[in-house]
């Protein structure tokens, strides 16, 4: 089925690989860390004070007063939409490569053999370390066309879902509290949340050889 991309006016063709593991989509998204005491739900004045305290603490610790971010490295199986994610403090090549290794192991434990991985053109994915890691894992690396993020559209659509369902879903009083709830949300997303691309069933339903899918 074809749709029109609003940015370019060109037709966008939806596609789906036939089997789990045929293609994994990878990307990184970042969220501003929640200062102790909260931020988003405590009102503007109190939130500003909490954020300012976070920046001051960063200046004392790191020598510069910048707002801190958490980087969520996400991996999604193209066929099933099953998602894997880890939170880190950067988006460097060594971090991205480590996430890929653990994601491949995680999918392998669920009967999914990874064959290809698709990324954008970020520096981590253009690094020699990324290429070496893919070669060691027996995976073919692919990258999106420049300025065409819709090529990696499945993971681009997942990020707002994750933001609404986890990152900004609750009145978190600290970054530690928010980070601690990502695993639970991912489990619910994979095992319980209906997905339109899966006929209203959760993504894990497409991993047909996985026992106890809905636990």
């Amino acid at each position: 089925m074809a749709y029109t991309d609003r940015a370019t006016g060109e037709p966008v063709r939806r596609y789906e690989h036939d089997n789990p593991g045929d293609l994994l989509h990878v990307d990184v998204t970042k969220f501003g860390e929640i200062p102790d005491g909260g931020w988003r739900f405590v009102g503007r004045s109190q939130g500003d004070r909490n954020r300012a305290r976070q920046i001051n603490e960063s200046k004392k610790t790191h020598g510069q007063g910048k707002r801190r971010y958490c980087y969520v490295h996400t991996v999604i199986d193209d066929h099933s939409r099953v998602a894997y994610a880890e939170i880190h403090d950067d988006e460097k090549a060594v971090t991205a490569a480590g996430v890929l290794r653990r994601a491949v192991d995680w999918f392998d434990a669920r009967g999914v053999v990874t064959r290809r991985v698709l990324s954008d053109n970020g520096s981590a994915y253009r690094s020699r370390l990324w290429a070496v890691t893919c070669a060691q894992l027996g995976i073919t690396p692919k990258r999106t066309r420049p300025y065409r993020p819709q090529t990696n559209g499945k993971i681009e659509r997942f990020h707002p879902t994750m933001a609404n369902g986890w990152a900004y879903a609750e009145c978190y009083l600290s970054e530690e509290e928010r980070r601690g709830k990502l695993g639970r949300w991912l489990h619910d997303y994979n095992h319980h949340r209906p997905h339109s691309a899966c006929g209203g069933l959760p993504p894990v339903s497409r991993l047909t050889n996985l026992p106890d899918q809905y636990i």
Side-chain angles (χ1 to χ4, degrees):
M1 183 179 294
Y3 297 84
T4 301
D5 178 66
R6 287 183 294 179
T8 65
E10 297 180 6
V12 175
R13 299 195 175 277
R14 307 299 189 193
Y15 68 91
E16 179 182 282
H17 282 73
D18 293 334
N19 302 294
D22 283 351
L23 181 71
L24 295 184
H25 298 257
V26 299
D27 200 3
V28 182
T29 187
K30 70 178 183 179
F31 300 100
E33 287 192 353
I34 295 176
D36 290 345
W39 162 55
R40 194 175 177 88
F41 293 91
V42 296
R44 182 171 182 177
S45 296
Q46 183 61 49
D48 286 345
R49 287 194 292 271
N50 292 342
R51 187 186 298 113
R53 185 173 64 247
Q54 180 199 54
I55 292 174
N56 287 334
E57 291 172 353
S58 176
K59 187 173 183 179
K60 292 177 182 177
T61 304
H62 305 289
Q64 52 186 357
K66 293 184 178 180
R67 188 179 180 194
R68 298 194 300 269
Y69 291 90
C70 74
Y71 295 83
V72 184
H73 293 246
T74 50
V75 184
I76 293 181
D77 174 56
D78 182 90
H79 176 79
S80 67
R81 273 62 164 195
V82 168
Y84 174 92
E86 292 182 13
I87 302 174
H88 292 275
D89 295 327
D90 62 63
E91 51 186 336
K92 296 177 181 178
V94 64
T95 304
V99 171
L100 179 63
R101 288 185 181 277
R102 290 184 291 274
V104 168
D105 287 343
W106 187 86
F107 278 104
D108 183 68
R110 288 153 180 80
V112 176
V113 177
T114 304
R115 298 174 179 83
R116 302 176 189 85
V117 60
L118 178 67
S119 70
D120 62 19
N121 289 272
S123 59
Y125 306 124
R126 289 185 285 106
S127 67
R128 174 169 174 74
L129 177 60
W130 182 258
V132 169
T133 300
C134 289
Q136 290 174 342
L137 294 171
I139 298 172
T140 300
K142 295 182 174 295
R143 293 200 296 271
T144 61
R145 288 169 55 188
Y147 311 110
R148 293 295 298 273
Q150 61 267 36
T151 311
N152 216 8
K154 290 183 177 69
I155 207 163
E156 295 290 341
R157 290 189 292 275
F158 174 75
H159 286 161
T161 300
M162 181 172 61
N164 294 328
W166 163 71
Y168 302 127
E170 298 182 30
C171 180
Y172 301 115
L173 296 180
S174 69
E175 179 63 18
E176 182 180 6
E177 180 187 7
R178 180 169 68 175
R179 292 189 182 204
K181 293 190 176 182
L182 177 59
R184 177 73 253 180
W185 182 82
L186 281 171
H187 177 88
D188 288 343
Y189 175 88
N190 287 328
H191 289 258
H192 302 291
R193 184 181 185 275
H195 199 300
S196 60
C198 303
L201 296 174
V204 77
S205 66
R206 287 194 164 187
L207 304 186
T208 55
N209 58 343
L210 183 65
D212 302 324
Q213 291 177 342
Y214 303 103
I215 294 178

